[in-house]
Amino acid sequence: MDISSYTEWTSIPPKYETFGENFLWAYSCLQMLGATIYMKEDKFTPKSYMVRAKAFKAYKEGKWKIGDMYEINRMKVRTNDTCWYCRSKVSSKELTADHVFPRVVGGTNNMENIIYVCKTCNSSKGKKDLMEWLISQDYVPEYLVLEQYLKEIYSYSIKNGLMSLNWNDIGNVALPFNLQSILLFQNSTFLKEVLRRTL
């Protein structure tokens, strides 16, 4: 995967009219990916697509809620000898805190916005959008990194009243994330590539 793939994968049109619906569809696609990985399937199956459809309906109707990052934060503490980006083994003393949303674009120092990575990845990523940078490095994102990224977008969007905005209008809003990255999660080619490299 490279940066040209990022441009190609995010050039698809949004599926829905509002930012919120597109986000919930992206998050449901992530749920489908997670379920397929959990089932140890090497490709998306009818059961995978049923998970996505059920999740999207439940999130839209408010029957399911997107949870907080408690479990992800627990994993960050437990996994203290590996860079979450390049997956290289690094002593816990060598890990550095990277901001999912860079502070220069409004990211916070809260644990929810922190991922522990090696110094090389941290300096290379800098203030770039996480998804765009990961693809440019040819890194396959860990499922938990993808989940943290989307949950951080969700938290920011709820706090700033973005969910009901029209997709075209939100492009005029200054955001701490690349809006087009949400379209990655709606792209089956990207999801299949992550699945292929995960298993």
Side-chain angles (χ1 to χ4, degrees), residues 90-99 114-123:
V90 182
S91 77
S92 58
K93 293 178 183 177
E94 304 268 327
L95 288 173
T96 61
D98 181 55
H99 295 82
I114 301 290
I115 294 182
Y116 294 105
V117 300
C118 68
K119 292 175 184 174
T120 302
C121 283
N122 200 342
S123 62

Side-chain angles (χ1 to χ4, degrees), residues 7-18 22 25 167-168 179-180 182-187:
T7 304
E8 176 186 322
W9 289 338
T10 58
S11 64
I12 62 169
K15 189 173 178 71
Y16 296 98
E17 185 176 321
T18 67
N22 280 291
W25 180 250
W167 179 268
N168 295 327
L179 179 62
Q180 295 303 111
I182 292 171
L183 298 178
L184 276 173
F185 295 88
Q186 300 182 17
N187 189 302

Side-chain angles (χ1 to χ4, degrees), residues 119-178:
K119 292 175 184 174
T120 302
C121 283
N122 200 342
S123 62
S124 172
K125 176 181 168 278
K127 60 183 181 180
K128 300 177 188 82
D129 177 78
L130 176 58
M131 295 306 301
E132 194 170 355
W133 177 79
L134 284 168
I135 290 170
S136 74
Q137 298 300 303
D138 199 31
Y139 292 152
V140 176
E142 289 273 2
Y143 178 82
L144 288 177
V145 171
L146 297 175
E147 185 177 18
Q148 180 170 351
Y149 180 76
L150 283 186
K151 282 188 173 185
E152 189 66 8
I153 289 175
Y154 179 72
S155 175
Y156 180 88
S157 301
I158 292 295
K159 183 178 176 182
N160 291 281
L162 305 179
M163 297 297 277
S164 62
L165 292 182
N166 185 285
W167 179 268
N168 295 327
D169 294 338
I170 202 167
N172 301 321
V173 177
L175 301 169
F177 57 91
N178 188 329

Side-chain angles (χ1 to χ4, degrees), residues 20 23-29 31 51-67 147 151 154 163:
F23 175 84
L24 293 178
W25 180 250
Y27 196 79
S28 299
C29 290
Q31 298 290 295
V51 167
R52 179 175 64 181
K54 180 179 180 180
F56 183 61
K57 185 175 188 296
Y59 288 129
K60 268 190 76 174
E61 294 175 353
K63 293 178 180 173
W64 288 6
K65 303 289 182 200
I66 294 176
E147 185 177 18
K151 282 188 173 185
Y154 179 72
M163 297 297 277

